[in-house]
Amino acid sequence: MTTGETYPRDMIGYGRTPPFADWPNNARVAVQFVINYEEGGENNILHGDAASEAFLSEIIGAAPWPGMRHMNMESIYEYGARAGFWRLHRMFTERSVPVTVYAVATAMARNAEAVAAMNEAGWEIATHGLKWIDYRDIPPDVEARHLAEAVRIHTEVAGARPLGFYQGRSSLNTIRLGMEEGGFLYCADSYADDLPYWLEGPRGPQLITPYTLDSNDMRFVTAQGFNSGDQFYAYLKDSFDALYAEGEVVPKMLSIGLHSRLVGRPGRAVSLARFIDYVLSHDRAWTPTRLDIARHWIHRHPPQGGWKPSRLTRTLFIERFGGVYEHSPWVAAAAYDVGFTSEADTAEGLAKALAAAAAKGTEEQKKALILAHPDLAGRLALARTLTAESAEEQASAGLDRLTPDELAKFTALNEAYRARFGFPFIMAVKGKSKADILASFQQRLGNDPGVETATALTEIDRIAALRLEDILR
């Protein structure tokens, strides 16, 4: 090896200065639970495979049976779908702890009831590929076709396409293929960090949310693994305690990997329940889905060099810029579909492109866009349920610090304005004073409804432009 030789691995990462994760509510650690749903997608000659499954079961050291069904192996996997899944489902739903499911598409298709239960619980369902097989020697074009078919089946069965991807038994090509697919907010075939990180991919930046093989119930059925639930609990607790302590200075994430056929067994499930309750006893632990983590990271931690909208996938662009127009991601989608040049990589250029897309919306879309905005110092602000952007903007104008007399004035004006026009008063308040806003309120109450509708849409474009300056500065 010479010093000028290019090495294809990143051995440095964040180094001694990892980013501050700034999890919600000042959490020290994000604890993320994954249920791997593989039962019915494993190797089986019934599925067109050459041999029976030999991985992650109670039969330690199992070998594939070429051309034959392995009935003991099959029934172990069946347990996960028939009994173990429902035990875990009760455990998490009773505690209102969200879960990410890594779901094999063919397994999903064989148990629609379980998928319905995942959706009813509000769990994230990420794709775990088409089949639970080893992709190590699968040609890249075949693996790409499998991934496309997995997304198709997943979307059909679950009712929405997956935004996360974890192949698991991956190949050299898996991460690249996930990035090329273009529809994933995150890929998870990495064990390289305690925090998400960005990779530069063939279609622009791709977020990686690393997973785990150590805080994982698979070690119940591997050599030098966990012999009992007590060992599993102790390892998870130690992992949590270490990260919780570190999180006072540098918050991290902790992934917990689960399988219905493994920890779903009664003698192991109680250890998992104890750990969940232990996590919930800490007031600075966040229990999100992986998609929650990905979205948080996308909105708080841009790729190196900042956002370049012209180089983003459609999915990532809409995720980051879909909220620039309040609760109206259709504007970002329409602008993206027209196409971007490098001009859109500036706040001014992107604002122009988004405003043009908004202007081409239907009358119904424009009306909905106006109605999507909150009243200034209204009930949503008082209830602290504004979007983060709206809350920050209203606070910048002092609308979160009104005297009783000022609040009464804003309330009366909001009511009068809505009674006259049928929609909220909209103004780009960033940099304005309370007096400026009240004066504009009074003046615009005298406008013709058509003029005021046009004024509201112009103010919405201004709000979007100011938000873009914050994102792309």
Side-chain angles (χ1 to χ4, degrees):
M1 176 178 177
T2 64
T3 56
E5 184 178 330
T6 300
Y7 189 59
R9 300 167 63 197
D10 180 0
M11 307 301 294
I12 299 172
Y14 291 125
R16 68 179 68 192
T17 55
F20 188 81
D22 59 352
W23 302 132
N25 299 317
N26 199 30
R28 291 186 180 188
V29 61
V31 183
Q32 205 290 298
F33 294 92
V34 169
I35 295 176
N36 293 266
Y37 192 84
E38 300 151 353
E39 293 81 5
E42 78 278 12
N43 281 286
N44 192 312
I45 64 170
L46 296 175
H47 306 159
D49 301 308
S52 62
E53 186 56 73
F55 192 49
L56 292 190
S57 81
E58 304 297 331
I59 308 173
I60 308 299
W65 289 8
M68 299 175 63
R69 294 176 63 186
H70 191 319
M71 303 309 291
N72 286 349
M73 182 67 71
E74 288 186 20
S75 64
I76 289 170
Y77 270 76
E78 288 162 13
Y79 182 92
R82 292 163 56 111
F85 170 79
W86 298 107
R87 180 169 287 114
L88 297 184
H89 182 268
R90 289 190 298 271
M91 185 183 300
F92 284 102
T93 56
E94 287 171 358
R95 292 166 172 80
S96 299
V97 173
V99 166
T100 290
V101 182
Y102 287 161
V104 173
T106 49
M108 293 171 66
R110 294 184 170 106
N111 195 342
E113 184 180 358
V115 176
M118 298 171 197
N119 280 330
E120 290 164 10
W123 293 355
E124 178 207 356
I125 311 177
T127 187
H128 200 5
L130 179 65
K131 303 171 71 174
W132 178 231
I133 61 175
D134 194 340
Y135 280 88
R136 172 181 49 183
D137 298 320
I138 299 292
D141 60 323
V142 175
E143 187 176 358
R145 289 200 302 272
H146 279 206
L147 179 54
E149 181 66 0
V151 171
R152 185 193 69 78
I153 293 173
H154 186 118
T155 304
E156 180 179 311
V157 177
R161 74 148 287 150
L163 295 177
F165 171 44
Y166 175 70
Q167 188 83 283
R169 297 161 82 174
S170 60
S171 74
L172 178 65
N173 305 296
T174 295
I175 292 179
R176 174 180 61 81
L177 293 173
M179 293 191 286
E180 287 179 351
E181 198 274 344
F184 299 116
L185 286 182
Y186 72 88
C187 296
D189 279 287
S190 169
Y191 315 99
D193 213 299
D194 296 316
L195 288 171
Y197 60 91
W198 292 97
L199 287 182
E200 187 60 32
R203 300 187 61 183
Q206 175 67 63
L207 188 67
I208 305 296
T209 58
Y211 186 47
T212 180
L213 295 180
D214 69 308
S215 51
N216 191 311
D217 69 355
M218 65 180 288
R219 295 180 65 80
F220 278 117
V221 293
T222 59
Q224 292 185 329
F226 305 125
N227 290 328
S228 68
D230 287 345
Q231 292 180 354
F232 183 51
Y233 173 78
Y235 190 84
L236 296 186
K237 181 179 178 297
D238 285 349
S239 300
F240 175 85
D241 288 345
L243 292 177
Y244 197 81
E246 291 179 12
E248 181 64 27
V249 177
V250 184
K252 302 286 180 59
M253 62 179 283
L254 171 63
S255 298
I256 310 295
L258 309 169
H259 300 74
S260 299
R261 66 188 177 277
L262 301 181
V263 79
R265 295 280 178 173
R268 297 168 181 152
V270 290
S271 61
L272 175 60
R274 286 172 59 205
F275 177 69
I276 299 171
D277 291 339
Y278 182 73
V279 171
L280 295 178
S281 72
H282 292 72
D283 58 3
R284 292 179 63 187
W286 181 38
T287 56
T289 65
R290 296 185 85 73
L291 186 56
D292 293 331
I293 290 174
R295 284 178 162 152
H296 175 89
W297 207 262
I298 288 166
H299 285 262
R300 300 296 188 93
H301 302 277
Q304 186 174 8
W307 293 106
K308 305 294 182 187
S310 66
R311 299 196 62 254
L312 304 181
T313 63
R314 188 177 192 272
T315 299
L316 182 54
F317 177 79
I318 293 173
E319 176 61 36
R320 184 61 192 95
F321 295 95
V324 169
Y325 279 73
E326 192 88 352
H327 297 298
S328 303
W330 65 267
V331 178
Y336 188 93
D337 291 342
V338 170
F340 292 138
T341 65
S342 59
E343 182 183 1
D345 294 339
T346 67
E348 182 179 0
L350 186 55
K352 182 180 177 180
L354 290 172
K360 291 179 181 177
T362 66
E363 291 305 310
E364 289 83 6
Q365 286 176 318
K366 292 177 182 178
K367 181 179 180 181
L369 173 59
I370 293 173
L371 291 173
H373 286 73
D375 290 324
L376 294 181
R379 58 181 178 80
L380 293 180
L382 294 175
R384 300 185 183 277
T385 55
L386 296 174
T387 63
E389 294 86 354
S390 287
E392 182 179 341
E393 289 154 3
Q394 294 202 25
S396 74
L399 300 186
D400 62 338
R401 302 179 299 279
L402 298 178
T403 66
D405 285 345
E406 289 171 335
L407 180 59
K409 288 180 183 179
F410 272 95
T411 300
L413 286 168
N414 277 323
E415 291 174 354
Y417 186 94
R418 276 189 177 268
R420 175 162 171 72
F421 300 112
F423 52 79
F425 175 80
I426 299 172
M427 180 179 178
V429 299
K430 192 169 184 179
K432 305 292 185 181
S433 68
K434 288 179 278 189
D436 294 333
I437 298 167
L438 287 169
S440 184
F441 238 134
Q442 296 281 7
Q443 181 267 317
R444 285 169 56 182
L445 269 169
N447 280 346
D448 175 86
V451 170
E452 190 56 22
T453 297
T455 301
L457 291 170
T458 298
E459 289 295 318
I460 289 171
D461 287 338
R462 289 175 180 163
I463 292 168
L466 290 168
R467 290 177 177 181
L468 290 171
E469 287 179 6
D470 287 339
I471 296 172
L472 295 175
R473 62 188 171 192

